[in-house]
Amino acid sequence: MNSMDAEKYSMADVEQLVKTLYHPGLPEVITDTEKNLRGLQRSPNGWQIADALLQSEDANVRFFGALTFTIKANQDWHEWLHLTMIQKLTADTIALLYRLVGWLIRLIKAGESALVLKKLCSALVAYYLRPSSTLDQCVLHLIVSFREGFPCQLEQLGTVSPLDWSTIHALNELQAKTIMWFASGIVEEVSKANGASIQTYRYFERVSSNTENIASLLRRALSSTSFEDLTLTAEGVKCFQSWVMYAHRSCVDGRSDLKLLRPLTPLAITALQHEQIYDEVTELFTDIFNHSPAFLTDDNVGTLTTFLSNYDARNKVSRVKAGDIDEDAMSFAKLLLACGDATVQNLAQQPDNPQLNQISFQLLELLKCNGYGGVEDDICSQALEFWTNFTELVIDSLYESDTDRPSWIEVARQRIEAVIEACWVRIRMPSHEVAVTWDSETRSSFKIFRQDVQDLLQSSFRLLGLDLLKSLARLSLQSINERAWLPLEATLFCLNGLADCVSDDDTIDDILSQSVFNSTLFADMAVATHEIPAKTRQTAVSMVSSYTAFFERRSEHLPGILNFLFESLKFPALCHVAAKAILAACSSCCAKLTSEIDVFLHQLETIETWDHIDVSVKERLIGAIAAIIKAVPKEEDKVAHLSRLIDCTERDVELCVKAVEVSSDESTKRGISALKCLVSMGKALQTPDDTVIDLDVQNPPSKFWTEGQGALLQFRIIRILDTLTISLKGNGEAIEAACQVLRIGYKERTPGLFVFPLQITVNFALASNLETARVDCVLDTVGICFSSGAREAEDIMINAASTILNHLGGFIQSMNHDPSTDPEASTSAIGIVERMIPRYLSCLLKSNDTQTLLDFILRALTVPDLMPKRAAAQFWATFMRRHEVSEEIADLLRITTSRYGPPLCQILVRKIAGEASRSELDSLAEPLKKTVFNQPPAKLWLSEALNADTFPSQKVGPLEKRMWLHKIMNLRGSKGTNQAIKDFWIQCRGPEFTYTQ
């Protein structure tokens, strides 16, 4: 809204608009009113409007006037003040200061509401924080102005004698509150500023000059102890809190600020006795303990610990524990936790101190609140966090001690044991009746709390050792005998949390063998009964997955465990976690289960007919059986078992084909199931990554999988792949699964069931085009194939590489040579070409599509899409290296490099000179570094690019370009090149693009 539009409104009109805004009405009317008022506030007349509105009889209108002053001071300062470029202080700025202070004086005399005064203080804060403001002693200015009854002239402020107690005490309550509101606003705004900037440094300097005066005012406020003055004390506590937090962050003379404020702390502690302001004072010390504990002296901490351990404190903890949570009790609990965090070392190492001992006891009591951990309130979660930190400190102290075991460790150990016992109660699952009332957020909070308890257990195990495991084992037996299923679930959950700490330690075997794994638990759970809650069954199943190393050593428990797991598959809610446990157990103990393969296969053939068994369950079961088959010593003995597994997959293929005409969804489901089962089978049969290869043994590779019975099994798998990739060529999930099947054999170094002939991958790629679903995944698979190393004769590999490159040429033509047509496919295609260097560099340079491929990859550097751009940068970084090749290929490489080097440098220079975003610079640096280091003509190419008409920036001249080129060439592709590129980019874009440090 311009000044002419604003002048159409009289002040009466403006006042009526404000009243309309605060009066209930139609939404569209309120929206239009807000729009008009915003326009008036931002208009050049906004200053006068604010001034006039403050004269209204309506409190809402006066508030809007103060708000308008604040908005103008924050957003439109320059429009009214007409500042020069160096922001020289003018008479207008001084006039505004006097006007704002004058209004404060008038409104305080009139007994104005806190809401209006606070908003007017925010306008004064905005004024004070303007760079043009030279008023440093702002608190003193307000005190003197309030004393005199009119705004103090700035030139007279320097003659004011130091403030004495009588001057401070002469301020009435509203005046004192107003100054504290203003003072709080200043430090809160300054604390939001970027701490590393020069302007913030100046803010801190200016604000610190007011510390002595605000400390005097705070002393008056905190010393007010009569009932009628408690509101002033409350405001003093809040202001004190703001200034302490400011002093903690201040980088200018911070110690001086703390020195002036610290003597006020005993007064603030004394305020804890007043129930009316209890919340404000506890919040103050909670904040100090959490963010600036060093502010408190030892005497302060001693006084506070006495307060936190007295009779009244114990009553408050009892109320929190009983669930009778009022504001005072919650505030106290938060203060207790903050004090615990700040004094955790003393709490651990001074068990004989009665006050600290009582605080430790109360912190433990906070874990024993009624209800479920992390659900009703966050106090229990915070208490758990404290005890986890306590445990870590005890363990660190134990390991760092150069002397004998500290005497206080035993007491700390007992406390941690008590904490674990309390947590064990809090993590019990709710009954079904309670659980159904929980929303997703409540369930998530409870789950997080239980996970945090597991973290505590893992930390405490380093201190408690096997005693902790023994205690949990005894609890599990007790719960099993009492058929207390929910407490048992909590115990099993704790044991699961310790699995990573103990599973590889055979000293635990006797403990587990004589307790949970030798009990009737798994036999009881193998019987379908509603007595045992599903969550207890689920946690028991998870325990099997966690302790597979134990079953490797104690295989006598496997039959009962596996029987329990297979019975668990009958429960829809358990089948997924049970299948996962079966896979883990069979993979870990495969050598001990080879005699039971036929039993497993029979179970699989039965289970796959159940309606609730989905593909994820089936693929895990197939993976489990395949892992056992892999452990069979002779390849010939594996054939019959593998054939039955493939039969299972072929049944899905037959159903897929039959269902095509009836239900496309059912057909797709069956086809994807078959492919995922193949993936699971293949992964289970893979050679482990840590298998030792004996280079001295030169046994010829077995022909079993290429010419023998194994070849027939492999043919059946290839036929499944062909059938499903044709039937489901439009389904991305199916194509991705087929790619996973192909990739299984790429890392193998010996023939195997899933080590297919190279031509299978080539044919798979040739059957793809831009219309193929997940074509990028197909191309990535081809790239992985060629980068994984040769498995066939050299001539076959070269022919295959040439075929693939020609196919990529067709891909590029179908995209009209534009990488943006399909960024994912373009990225994958570039990746294939990059992975063929240097081994198949000859194929690239001799291809009929060499120019098509390289032009396309060069163009990819210029497209807006990030993925192909980065892939192209990586390709050129690889291509520009030195390659050891034959003389014939070296000649071709020199010709190709001479052709593409200049345009590559042209693009790189344009990007570095400002066309690229900052995040792209590191990837663009790689091809530049490799070019500079490996290509002799690089300096000429870069010089031509820097002086070309296409250079995008006018902010650097010939001298800067020469200096940068000289620096780049001297760096010779070293790491410093990246920073040189970033510096040049900033030069070309302008200093405003420099990151704020």
Side-chain angles (χ1 to χ4, degrees):
M1 184 180 293
N2 56 39
S3 58
M4 292 185 64
D5 291 333
E7 288 173 359
K8 296 178 181 178
Y9 291 87
S10 66
M11 287 312 305
D13 294 334
V14 176
E15 185 167 341
Q16 187 56 48
L17 281 175
V18 176
K19 291 178 179 178
T20 301
L21 181 66
Y22 289 103
H23 190 275
L26 296 174
E28 54 269 24
V29 174
I30 298 298
T31 301
D32 288 343
T33 303
E34 286 179 335
K35 181 180 178 181
N36 290 332
L37 286 173
R38 278 197 302 270
L40 289 166
Q41 286 177 321
R42 296 300 303 272
S43 72
N45 296 334
W47 300 101
Q48 290 79 11
I49 291 172
D51 197 64
L53 291 178
L54 281 173
Q55 303 177 46
S56 172
E57 296 295 324
D58 191 302
N60 287 332
V61 176
R62 294 197 300 276
F63 174 82
F64 197 83
L67 173 65
T68 303
F69 265 130
T70 305
I71 290 173
K72 297 299 286 184
N74 275 311
Q75 298 180 5
D76 299 324
W77 176 263
H78 61 284
E79 291 182 9
W80 185 71
L81 302 179
H82 312 294
L83 296 179
T84 66
M85 291 299 292
I86 59 172
Q87 295 185 320
K88 183 179 178 182
L89 186 66
T90 66
D92 286 340
T93 65
I94 299 174
L96 175 60
L97 169 66
Y98 294 161
R99 194 64 177 162
L100 291 173
V101 174
W103 269 117
L104 280 175
I105 293 170
R106 285 177 61 183
L107 292 173
I108 289 171
K109 284 182 178 178
E112 184 58 84
S113 68
L115 190 66
V116 175
L117 290 173
K118 285 181 179 179
K119 185 54 66 177
L120 197 56
C121 282
S122 2
L124 198 56
V125 168
Y127 170 89
Y128 178 77
L129 295 179
R130 299 309 299 183
S132 58
S133 172
T134 59
L135 174 62
D136 291 340
Q137 294 285 338
C138 52
V139 173
L140 176 63
H141 184 260
L142 275 183
I143 293 173
V144 173
S145 297
F146 287 175
R147 181 187 67 186
E148 301 298 330
F150 54 83
C152 174
Q153 300 296 304
L154 292 184
E155 57 271 18
Q156 297 176 2
L157 195 60
T159 64
V160 174
S161 58
L163 293 178
D164 54 23
W165 178 250
S166 61
T167 302
I168 297 294
H169 200 69
L171 294 170
N172 65 43
E173 183 175 316
L174 192 53
Q175 288 174 331
K177 286 180 182 179
T178 301
I179 296 172
M180 289 189 290
W181 291 332
F182 168 68
S184 297
I186 288 176
V187 291
E188 287 166 7
E189 287 301 315
V190 169
S191 295
K192 296 176 186 176
N194 172 25
S197 72
I198 296 298
Q199 186 57 52
T200 303
Y201 179 87
R202 291 172 181 159
Y203 285 153
F204 281 137
E205 274 191 324
R206 293 172 60 200
V207 172
S208 292
S209 65
N210 290 273
T211 306
E212 184 174 0
N213 290 324
I214 196 64
S216 298
L217 181 61
L218 288 173
R219 180 174 293 279
R220 180 259 171 103
L222 295 174
S223 299
S224 300
T225 55
S226 62
F227 179 80
E228 59 271 17
D229 285 337
L230 283 179
T231 56
L232 178 61
T233 306
E235 295 300 335
V237 167
K238 294 175 185 176
C239 185
F240 182 54
Q241 180 177 353
S242 298
W243 275 77
V244 171
M245 291 302 104
Y246 152 78
H248 168 68
R249 188 175 185 270
S250 172
C251 59
V252 180
D253 199 18
R255 292 182 180 176
S256 175
D257 290 336
L258 291 174
K259 183 178 179 181
L260 291 168
L261 294 170
R262 191 173 276 132
L264 301 175
T265 309
L267 291 174
I269 294 175
T270 303
L272 281 167
Q273 64 184 306
H274 302 297
E275 291 184 5
Q276 296 91 335
I277 59 173
Y278 186 84
D279 288 344
E280 288 85 350
V281 186
T282 53
E283 182 183 343
L284 161 67
F285 287 107
T286 300
D287 215 7
I288 292 175
F289 273 129
N290 282 332
H291 300 107
S292 184
F295 175 77
L296 300 171
T297 65
D298 291 342
D299 287 343
N300 297 154
V301 175
T303 306
L304 286 168
T305 53
T306 300
F307 167 78
L308 291 170
S309 59
N310 63 21
Y311 178 77
D312 183 57
R314 293 195 290 273
N315 284 340
K316 286 184 170 64
V317 171
S318 297
R319 278 153 50 195
V320 174
K321 182 180 174 183
D324 181 16
I325 301 175
D326 55 35
E327 270 192 45
D328 283 358
M330 289 295 289
S331 297
F332 175 83
K334 291 176 181 178
L335 175 58
L336 180 66
L337 287 163
C339 177
D341 287 333
T343 61
V344 62
Q345 185 168 351
N346 292 338
L347 291 172
Q349 298 179 359
Q350 299 179 28
D352 296 331
N353 183 305
Q355 284 81 22
L356 295 180
N357 194 39
Q358 180 61 35
I359 288 176
S360 295
F361 173 77
Q362 292 176 167
L363 287 166
L364 176 59
E365 290 294 286
L366 292 181
L367 276 176
K368 300 179 181 179
C369 303
N370 291 337
Y372 300 92
V375 173
E376 278 79 8
D377 59 77
D378 61 349
I379 293 297
C380 187
S381 297
Q382 292 178 40
L384 176 59
E385 183 179 357
F386 163 78
W387 284 110
T388 301
N389 294 335
F390 179 94
T391 303
E392 293 286 353
L393 181 138
V394 171
I395 293 167
D396 291 344
S397 300
L398 184 61
Y399 286 119
E400 290 171 2
S401 177
D402 296 329
T403 60
D404 295 336
R405 186 184 180 95
S407 58
W408 53 267
I409 287 289
E410 189 55 39
V411 176
R413 177 189 172 99
Q414 293 170 9
R415 286 176 178 168
I416 293 170
E417 288 174 344
V419 167
I420 292 172
E421 183 178 350
C423 289
W424 176 70
V425 175
R426 297 305 304 274
I427 64 170
R428 293 180 187 178
M429 295 298 297
S431 64
H432 175 73
E433 292 74 18
V434 173
V436 295
T437 65
W438 285 4
D439 57 20
S440 59
E441 184 177 351
T442 303
R443 289 193 295 271
S444 175
S445 298
F446 185 55
K447 181 179 179 181
I448 291 170
F449 181 83
R450 281 165 60 96
Q451 291 169 343
D452 290 341
V453 170
Q454 284 191 333
D455 292 340
L456 172 65
L457 287 166
Q458 290 166 7
S459 296
S460 62
F461 182 79
R462 291 179 287 167
L463 177 67
L464 304 179
L466 292 181
D467 288 343
L468 175 57
L469 189 69
K470 290 175 183 177
S471 297
L472 292 172
R474 283 195 299 270
L475 279 174
S476 67
L477 277 179
Q478 180 181 336
S479 298
I480 292 168
N481 293 333
E482 295 174 357
R483 306 186 78 75
W485 302 120
L486 292 180
L488 173 63
E489 191 280 335
T491 307
L492 297 181
F493 180 82
C494 291
L495 286 169
N496 285 346
L498 290 177
D500 290 339
C501 303
V502 303
S503 60
D504 292 330
D505 184 357
D506 58 7
T507 59
I508 70 162
D509 292 357
D510 288 340
I511 299 172
L512 295 177
S513 289
Q514 294 168 14
S515 57
V516 62
F517 291 126
N518 196 39
S519 68
T520 63
L521 172 63
F522 296 102
D524 291 342
M525 289 193 175
V527 178
T529 173
H530 294 295
E531 179 189 0
I532 304 176
K535 184 61 180 177
T536 304
R537 291 178 181 274
Q538 185 179 29
T539 306
V541 170
S542 298
M543 188 176 180
V544 176
S545 299
S546 301
Y547 285 89
T548 52
F550 165 80
F551 296 119
E552 285 186 68
R553 298 188 297 269
R554 294 295 182 94
S555 57
E556 67 269 19
H557 296 289
L558 272 175
I561 292 296
L562 288 170
N563 182 49
F564 155 67
L565 292 177
F566 275 101
E567 286 297 320
S568 298
L569 291 173
K570 295 178 180 178
F571 297 90
L574 296 178
C575 60
H576 290 90
V577 67
K580 182 180 178 181
I582 290 170
L583 175 59
C586 292
S587 299
S588 184
C589 308
C590 54
K592 295 179 172 63
L593 297 170
T594 53
S595 61
E596 304 297 326
I597 293 176
D598 287 330
V599 176
F600 278 93
L601 286 166
H602 177 72
Q603 287 270 29
L604 173 64
E605 290 162 357
T606 301
I607 289 168
E608 68 174 336
T609 63
W610 298 349
D611 290 338
H612 68 274
I613 298 298
D614 62 17
V615 60
S616 64
V617 174
K618 187 175 177 180
E619 66 179 284
R620 283 171 176 158
L621 295 179
I622 286 179
I625 298 170
I628 301 172
I629 295 172
K630 183 178 181 296
V632 174
K634 294 182 180 180
E635 305 284 18
E636 295 80 1
D637 295 339
K638 300 177 181 179
V639 172
H641 303 313
L642 289 172
S643 181
R644 288 179 67 180
L645 277 185
I646 296 173
D647 288 343
C648 179
T649 305
E650 286 177 333
R651 284 192 289 273
D652 274 334
V653 176
E654 291 173 9
L655 292 171
C656 169
V657 174
K658 288 179 181 178
V660 169
E661 297 180 359
V662 179
S663 170
S664 60
D665 290 343
E666 181 64 22
S667 173
T668 300
K669 176 183 173 183
R670 292 291 183 178
I672 291 173
S673 173
L675 289 167
K676 288 188 173 182
C677 287
L678 284 180
V679 172
S680 184
M681 186 194 314
K683 288 182 177 179
L685 293 171
Q686 273 183 324
T687 303
D689 293 335
D690 57 356
T691 300
V692 177
I693 300 175
D694 191 344
L695 300 177
D696 295 329
V697 178
Q698 298 294 331
N699 292 331
S702 169
K703 295 184 178 181
F704 180 81
W705 298 105
T706 55
E707 299 177 7
Q709 291 176 289
L712 296 176
L713 294 179
Q714 189 179 88
F715 174 75
R716 290 169 64 186
I717 293 176
I718 293 171
R719 185 172 59 194
I720 291 173
L721 275 178
D722 289 342
T723 301
L724 294 177
T725 51
I726 292 172
S727 300
L728 303 176
K729 63 182 179 181
N731 185 279
E733 190 177 0
I735 296 299
E736 188 173 353
C739 291
Q740 289 179 315
V741 174
L742 289 172
R743 294 181 189 185
I744 289 168
Y746 294 162
K747 66 192 304 187
E748 301 287 353
R749 289 294 168 261
T750 57
L753 179 60
F754 283 83
V755 183
F756 305 135
L758 177 62
Q759 195 59 40
I760 301 300
T761 297
V762 174
N763 291 342
F764 183 65
L766 295 179
S768 65
N769 54 48
L770 277 181
E771 303 303 318
T772 303
R774 289 307 311 274
V775 67
D776 57 313
C777 188
V778 175
L779 297 176
D780 286 339
T781 300
V782 174
I784 294 170
C785 175
F786 279 94
S787 63
S788 62
R791 296 181 308 278
E792 302 196 23
E794 186 71 15
D795 59 333
I796 295 176
M797 297 296 295
I798 289 175
N799 287 335
S802 298
T803 301
I804 291 296
L805 289 171
N806 290 336
H807 184 60
L808 291 179
F811 251 96
I812 291 169
Q813 291 176 17
S814 65
M815 286 191 283
N816 295 320
H817 303 269
D818 183 3
S820 294
T821 302
D822 190 332
E824 287 87 2
S826 299
T827 302
S828 301
I830 295 169
I832 291 177
V833 183
E834 194 261 329
R835 285 174 170 177
M836 287 191 176
I837 302 172
R839 184 162 189 171
Y840 305 107
L841 184 58
S842 61
C843 300
L844 174 61
L845 297 177
K846 291 181 177 181
S847 172
N848 294 331
D849 294 291
T850 301
Q851 183 176 348
T852 299
L853 292 167
L854 296 183
D855 285 351
F856 179 80
I857 299 173
L858 194 65
R859 185 175 181 182
L861 286 171
T862 66
V863 298
D865 307 281
L866 185 60
M867 290 171 57
K869 192 182 301 184
R870 286 187 174 173
Q874 182 60 43
F875 168 83
W876 288 111
T878 302
F879 187 81
M880 286 296 175
R881 290 174 180 162
R882 292 194 184 107
H883 303 290
E884 299 204 6
V885 291
S886 67
E887 188 174 340
E888 176 194 4
I889 302 304
D891 289 339
L892 286 173
L893 185 59
R894 275 193 295 273
I895 294 170
T896 307
T897 303
S898 298
R899 175 174 179 178
Y900 285 93
L904 172 64
C905 288
Q906 290 272 354
I907 293 171
L908 292 177
V909 166
R910 288 205 313 272
K911 293 291 180 182
I912 292 167
E915 288 185 357
S917 63
R918 187 191 298 268
S919 61
E920 297 174 305
L921 296 178
D922 282 334
S923 61
L924 292 170
E926 294 309 308
L928 181 65
K929 289 193 289 188
K930 296 302 183 291
T931 302
V932 168
F933 186 76
N934 297 299
Q935 302 299 327
K939 184 173 183 180
L940 174 62
W941 298 342
L942 289 171
S943 177
E944 291 174 347
L946 286 166
N947 294 294
D949 293 339
T950 56
F951 188 82
S953 175
Q954 302 299 317
K955 295 183 179 181
V956 292
L959 177 60
E960 290 86 355
K961 293 177 183 178
R962 287 197 302 273
M963 290 176 61
W964 181 74
L965 179 58
H966 180 72
K967 180 186 291 188
I968 289 294
M969 297 308 298
N970 284 342
L971 286 167
R972 298 287 294 159
S974 64
K975 189 176 181 180
T977 304
N978 294 58
Q979 188 58 49
I981 287 172
K982 291 173 184 176
D983 293 342
F984 191 63
W985 180 85
I986 291 171
Q987 277 186 289
C988 294
R989 293 286 291 264
E992 65 271 19
F993 288 91
T994 306
Y995 277 141
T996 301
Q997 298 298 320

